[in-house]
Amino acid sequence: MSVRNIFVVGLDEHNRKRLEHLRGAENYRFYGVIEPSEVYDTEIFPIEEMLSRAETLLKGFSEPIEAIVGYMDFPVSTMLPLLCERLGTRSTSLTSLLKCEHKYWSRLVQHEVIADYIPRFTAFDPFDALALQHIGEAGLYFPFFVKPIKSSGSRLGFRIESPEDFAYAVARLCEGIGTISEPFNYVLEHAKLPDDVRSVDGGHCMAEEIIGGWQCTLEGYVFQGNVVPYGIVDSIRYPQVLSFFYYRYPSILPANIQEKMQALTRQIMSHIGYDNAAFNVEYFWDEVQNRIWLLEINTRIAQSHCDLFEKIDGVSHQQVTVDLALGQLPDMPFRQGIFKVAAKFFYRVFFVDATVSQVPNAEEIETLQHAFPGTMITIQVDIGMRLSSLPEQDSYSYALAYVWMGADDEVALEENYARLAEQLHFAFEDIVA
């Protein structure tokens, strides 16, 4: 078989090595397009300029381009349909992607087919002095949750218990929403939107009824119209806060609940018309009411889950992304890894802000990784860094390190992490508690 050229938006060395272990990778040659620092470690996204540069580079490539892929959230996921259309490579349509990523449009479409599984919702303009009044007129009352129409991770998401909470959240939203609304609006200009969606651009926000319970993420793909869920990852939060503690795979949700989530996923993704691309859907299961809620749909694999699938199934689920972009049925193995359970842990601090004065050094990290075989630790901060400068953080804490671990059972997994976490030594100055 001839070598197939695959371009990856935001490719870094860590993911290059992972991609080179995919099934069939001996026949693939991976190239980066757009530096990872431009789409990941920043909150400035000049999408129009990045697309122009990428198009020039790709059209100047002297060999055939078989696929253009990405594994990151905004702006990469949103840019891909535009870039693929310009280069003639495979991707789901921009319309189907926006029916997932534009949170208000997504809720409208979900309401058409699975209304009983989504919360009450409304859109609002954070710059409107009467926004809280309009939210009440839409039938939403305290407590409720607010977030931008388009965001990344848990950034600028707030639980609202009172008018004071809303005022604080709106101030934060008005201050920070422009970094995503402006580039997202550029993408919206390229799509045919219904009138009721076009009037709700990237500068708007969502207010939603509070939902909760056991949170999980269903990973799936669509190939030639066939929706295929292939794994569910549990999302465990720190007690009493919204911040994630760890992601665990495989899920230990009851089988009937997993099956219902799979059925809902097939229904909504088929209705949207999403095709020939990977996705994931976040759900809650309210165990008390035995009720399933759809939280949101993401138009990519979850990069945080790559190592989990590799540990459990034998290969990163980037396999799905690459195979689909090449026009072939994903060759994803099942339970062929060396561990029975795996997790990504978030080592966090719950400060308002602080300056980092000490981090574990490379030798300490290497020692810990050797002590816990299969473990990977990535430190997210440097000495002298102000925590508030970290991108992609939730509104309540800062993730100082990510720790991927595998084990033979859940008890061993949690015990091993607790022992490891005790040996991760950070220190801070100028703490704002």
Side-chain angles (χ1 to χ4, degrees), residues 192-324:
K192 294 181 180 180
L193 307 175
D195 290 341
D196 57 345
V197 173
R198 183 168 294 282
S199 62
V200 181
D201 67 8
H204 284 71
C205 296
M206 291 283 287
E208 294 192 343
E209 176 186 5
I210 295 291
I211 57 176
W214 186 325
Q215 188 171 354
C216 66
T217 301
L218 182 151
E219 296 278 0
Y221 64 84
V222 189
F223 179 66
Q224 297 180 359
N226 185 32
V227 182
V228 181
Y230 60 85
I232 297 179
V233 178
D234 294 332
S235 302
I236 313 301
R237 295 181 184 270
Y238 281 85
Q240 307 304 316
V241 295
L242 292 174
S243 301
F244 288 115
F245 179 20
Y246 63 97
Y247 302 146
R248 174 183 58 210
Y249 179 63
S251 172
I252 59 172
L253 278 165
N256 66 308
I257 298 300
Q258 295 192 44
E259 289 166 3
K260 181 60 178 179
M261 289 176 177
Q262 292 168 356
L264 290 170
T265 299
R266 294 186 185 97
Q267 188 174 5
I268 185 59
M269 298 311 290
S270 296
H271 181 66
I272 285 171
Y274 195 84
D275 202 5
N276 298 315
F279 67 86
N280 67 69
V281 186
E282 297 178 51
Y283 286 103
F284 284 114
W285 174 48
D286 184 331
E287 188 172 3
V288 175
Q289 300 185 51
N290 192 28
R291 184 167 186 178
I292 293 172
W293 298 101
L294 191 155
L295 177 58
E296 65 181 20
I297 305 170
N298 301 301
T299 58
R300 51 170 174 80
I301 64 165
Q303 187 182 176
S304 289
H305 300 164
C306 289
D307 188 72
L308 309 186
F309 279 92
E310 191 169 313
K311 282 178 164 52
I312 303 303
D313 292 330
V315 69
S316 164
H317 63 329
Q318 287 166 316
Q319 185 80 48
V320 172
T321 296
V322 171
D323 283 342
L324 290 169

Side-chain angles (χ1 to χ4, degrees), residues 9-28:
V9 179
L11 178 64
D12 59 20
E13 283 308 306
H14 174 72
N15 280 287
R16 180 187 293 276
K17 293 177 182 177
R18 182 173 277 148
L19 289 166
E20 290 171 349
H21 289 120
L22 299 183
R23 292 180 167 189
E26 64 274 10
N27 300 311
Y28 306 154

Side-chain angles (χ1 to χ4, degrees), residues 12-15 17-18 40-41 245 247 303-307 311 343-348 359-362 364-370 372 374-382 385 390 393 398-405 417 420-421 424-426:
D12 59 20
E13 283 308 306
H14 174 72
N15 280 287
K17 293 177 182 177
R18 182 173 277 148
Y40 190 66
D41 295 324
F245 179 20
Y247 302 146
Q303 187 182 176
S304 289
H305 300 164
C306 289
D307 188 72
K311 282 178 164 52
K344 176 187 179 180
F345 291 93
F346 296 82
Y347 184 97
R348 297 183 182 274
V359 301
N361 60 40
E364 291 169 332
I365 295 300
E366 182 66 29
T367 299
L368 283 172
Q369 291 180 156
H370 181 74
F372 299 92
T375 294
M376 180 174 64
I377 304 168
T378 62
I379 304 299
Q380 302 300 303
V381 295
D382 298 309
M385 177 183 288
L390 273 172
Q393 302 298 304
Y398 297 98
L400 306 182
Y402 303 144
V403 180
W404 288 267
M405 305 184 80
Y417 174 72
L420 182 149
L424 282 176
H425 301 302
F426 293 86

Side-chain angles (χ1 to χ4, degrees), residues 49-289:
E49 188 267 336
M50 287 193 292
L51 281 170
S52 177
R53 273 193 291 117
E55 182 180 1
T56 299
L57 184 151
L58 292 166
K59 287 185 174 179
F61 190 67
S62 59
E63 300 176 27
I65 297 174
E66 298 284 348
I68 306 170
V69 302
Y71 43 77
M72 296 180 184
D73 200 349
F74 186 85
V76 174
S77 58
T78 319
M79 293 165 61
L80 277 172
L82 296 173
L83 194 56
C84 290
E85 182 180 25
R86 295 179 187 184
L87 274 295
T89 60
R90 298 171 188 84
S91 169
T92 194
S93 69
L94 179 61
T95 297
S96 66
L97 179 136
L98 289 174
K99 285 181 180 180
C100 302
E101 295 216 1
H102 187 298
K103 295 187 187 300
Y104 182 61
W105 195 6
S106 189
R107 285 300 193 208
L108 292 176
V109 174
Q110 292 163 29
H111 190 267
E112 293 170 357
V113 290
I114 56 169
D116 291 341
Y117 300 92
I118 64 172
R120 287 175 295 165
F121 64 95
T122 190
F124 70 93
D125 181 352
F127 296 92
D128 180 358
L130 298 178
L132 185 57
Q133 177 181 323
H134 296 326
I135 290 170
E137 291 168 352
L140 281 171
Y141 308 101
F142 302 123
F144 56 85
F145 197 79
V146 300
K147 55 188 174 182
I149 286 294
K150 178 59 196 156
S151 188
S152 180
S154 301
R155 183 172 175 269
L156 295 178
F158 301 90
R159 181 184 173 100
I160 307 300
E161 302 274 358
S162 66
E164 292 75 20
D165 286 347
F166 187 74
Y168 172 79
V170 162
R172 292 281 303 277
L173 287 161
C174 289
E175 178 184 5
I177 200 170
T179 58
I180 285 186
S181 67
E182 292 179 14
F184 188 56
N185 284 343
Y186 171 80
V187 175
L188 295 180
E189 291 171 3
H190 291 75
K192 294 181 180 180
L193 307 175
D195 290 341
D196 57 345
V197 173
R198 183 168 294 282
S199 62
V200 181
D201 67 8
H204 284 71
C205 296
M206 291 283 287
E208 294 192 343
E209 176 186 5
I210 295 291
I211 57 176
W214 186 325
Q215 188 171 354
C216 66
T217 301
L218 182 151
E219 296 278 0
Y221 64 84
V222 189
F223 179 66
Q224 297 180 359
N226 185 32
V227 182
V228 181
Y230 60 85
I232 297 179
V233 178
D234 294 332
S235 302
I236 313 301
R237 295 181 184 270
Y238 281 85
Q240 307 304 316
V241 295
L242 292 174
S243 301
F244 288 115
F245 179 20
Y246 63 97
Y247 302 146
R248 174 183 58 210
Y249 179 63
S251 172
I252 59 172
L253 278 165
N256 66 308
I257 298 300
Q258 295 192 44
E259 289 166 3
K260 181 60 178 179
M261 289 176 177
Q262 292 168 356
L264 290 170
T265 299
R266 294 186 185 97
Q267 188 174 5
I268 185 59
M269 298 311 290
S270 296
H271 181 66
I272 285 171
Y274 195 84
D275 202 5
N276 298 315
F279 67 86
N280 67 69
V281 186
E282 297 178 51
Y283 286 103
F284 284 114
W285 174 48
D286 184 331
E287 188 172 3
V288 175
Q289 300 185 51

